[in-house]
């Protein structure tokens, strides 16, 4: 994807020159960091190659489905936003306790130092057309459960992808739901670059990240929810009734507004029949451009899901 040099004024930006050395914070008491320290910790964990500069003022990415605009908030209590070319947007609220002012590095990372107890926050736009919300736990007293409130467009919902993340889906013309965005599986790294166990759960439309630090964790720890919106990811989910229709004839895909697959009825029906027999639902991959796939490709990208993997859609 190409980053366009088109920005809109939104935030007083402080250019920061930060090295890659990870700052050290005291284990006791409240850790206070400077913007330079906050940037150093985050960019040590993420690198800078994938950051889209200008996001603090509204960076516009060109994708094969139109423009995506990513805007980072001026202060910690604002909203991180990814907006599609049709005007719809998915927003994320950072887990701030105070409305710390943002400062932006030359590489494009906006940091909100000391926005919560023993915690710095940060935001980045990515050249892939998405946004990162970053949490830096500065010592062992920092909270290891972080909550990110999501603002979803009308009719949008979340479906677990089975790999630790979520697809952001909307109705596919009355049959199934199609993924128009994605929340990647979470990651967390300590000061030595070692992976720290972390996972997501949902509380309504709040994304809850649990970070499992231990006695040998080297602080600071940086953790990252990353999400996209407005980019067709290529997964269509069907509920149980729709799966039964596919099992009988494999023709439900024709209900999509831009038929994304023309699948061989018998093969797709066989997969759906297995899903019905095991009390699951069917999902399949489609071409991100929504052009028809060959029957073989449609069947090869099909699979089943259910239970917690469906987060309620497989019903």
């Amino acid at each position: 994807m190409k980053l366009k040099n088109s920005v809109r004024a939104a935030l007083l930006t402080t250019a920061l020159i930060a090295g890659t050395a990870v700052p050290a914070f005291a284990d006791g008491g409240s850790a206070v960091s400077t913007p330079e320290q906050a940037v150093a910790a985050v960019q040590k964990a993420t690198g800078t190659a994938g950051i889209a500069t200008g996001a603090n003022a509204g960076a516009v990415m060109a994708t094969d489905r139109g423009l995506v605009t990513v805007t980072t908030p001026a202060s910690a209590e604002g909203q991180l936003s990814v907006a599609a070319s049709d005007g719809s947007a998915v927003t994320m609220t950072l887990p701030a306790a105070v409305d710390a002012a943002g400062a932006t590095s030359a590489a494009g990372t906006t940091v909100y130092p000391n926005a919560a107890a023993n915690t710095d926050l940060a935001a980045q736009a990515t050249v892939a057309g998405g946004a990162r919300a970053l949490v830096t736990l500065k010592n062992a007293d920092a909270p290891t459960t972080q909550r990110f409130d999501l603002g979803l467009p009308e009719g949008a919902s979340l479906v677990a992808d089975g790999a630790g993340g979520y697809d952001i889906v909307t109705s596919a013309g009355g049959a199934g739901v199609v993924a128009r965005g994605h929340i990647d599986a979470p990651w967390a790294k300590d000061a030595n670059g070692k992976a720290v166990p972390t996972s997501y759960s949902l509380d309504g439309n709040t994304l809850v990240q649990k970070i499992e630090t231990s006695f040998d964790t080297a602080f600071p720890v940086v953790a990252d929810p990353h999400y996209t919106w407005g980019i067709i990811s290529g997964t269509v989910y069907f509920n149980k009734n729709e799966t039964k229709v596919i099992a009988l004839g494999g023709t439900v895909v024709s209900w999509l507004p831009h038929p994304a697959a023309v699948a061989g009825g018998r093969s797709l029906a066989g997969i759906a029949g297995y899903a019905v027999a095991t009390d699951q639902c069917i999902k399949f991959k489609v071409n991100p451009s929504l052009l028809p796939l060959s029957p073989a490709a449609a069947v090869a990208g099909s699979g089943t899901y259910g239970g917690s993997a469906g987060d309620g859609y497989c019903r």
Side-chain angles (χ1 to χ4, degrees):
M1 298 177 185
K2 179 175 66 177
L3 176 65
K4 292 189 174 181
N5 293 321
S6 172
V7 297
R8 299 187 299 274
L11 171 64
L12 176 64
T13 301
T14 302
L16 303 174
I17 300 174
T20 57
V22 176
F25 299 103
D27 287 336
S30 180
V32 177
S33 55
T34 66
E36 290 82 2
Q37 287 177 308
V39 167
V42 169
Q43 292 185 175
K44 174 74 172 181
T46 67
T48 58
I51 305 172
T53 58
N56 59 294
V60 183
M61 267 67 72
T63 78
D64 59 2
R65 298 294 296 167
L67 297 179
V68 175
T69 303
V70 180
T71 307
T72 59
S75 59
E77 291 184 351
Q79 291 183 327
L80 185 61
S81 172
V82 179
S85 55
D86 63 3
S88 64
V90 172
T91 62
M92 179 179 284
T93 301
L94 303 175
V98 297
D99 197 21
T104 303
S105 74
T109 300
T110 300
V111 294
Y112 312 93
N114 315 305
N118 301 297
T119 304
D120 294 333
L121 302 177
Q124 297 173 341
T126 63
V127 295
R132 288 191 186 117
L134 297 129
V135 176
T136 300
L137 310 184
K138 292 185 280 190
N139 58 33
D141 293 326
T144 55
T145 298
Q146 302 288 335
R147 298 172 64 86
F148 304 85
D149 293 334
L150 298 173
L152 302 178
E154 184 177 356
S157 58
L158 299 173
V159 176
D161 66 2
Y166 294 89
D167 280 327
I168 308 171
V169 300
T170 58
S171 173
V177 291
V178 62
R180 294 186 57 203
H182 187 68
I183 300 174
D184 295 350
W187 60 260
K189 295 179 183 178
D190 74 3
N192 297 326
K194 181 181 177 181
V196 177
T198 183
S199 60
Y200 286 147
S201 61
L202 284 180
D203 181 6
N205 281 342
T206 297
L207 185 70
V208 182
Q209 183 172 13
K210 176 67 176 177
I211 305 159
E212 299 179 32
T213 59
S214 64
F215 69 92
D216 62 350
T217 299
F219 289 90
V221 171
V222 177
D224 162 51
H226 175 264
Y227 75 97
T228 60
W229 173 250
I231 302 171
I232 303 297
S233 64
T235 302
V236 179
Y237 296 87
F238 295 98
N239 62 27
K240 289 183 178 179
N241 286 335
E242 294 159 348
T243 298
K244 291 177 182 178
V245 172
I246 296 174
L248 293 173
T251 59
V252 72
V253 291
S254 67
W255 302 353
L256 291 170
H258 299 286
V262 181
R266 292 182 180 177
S267 298
L268 193 57
I271 298 171
Y274 171 80
V276 171
T278 56
D279 198 30
Q280 297 185 85
C281 298
I282 193 170
K283 64 179 180 179
F284 65 84
K285 286 289 185 181
V286 299
N287 193 316
S289 67
L290 293 185
L291 295 175
L293 289 175
S294 68
V299 171
S302 299
T304 60
Y305 77 99
S308 61
D311 275 338
Y313 188 72
C314 183
R315 58 185 184 275

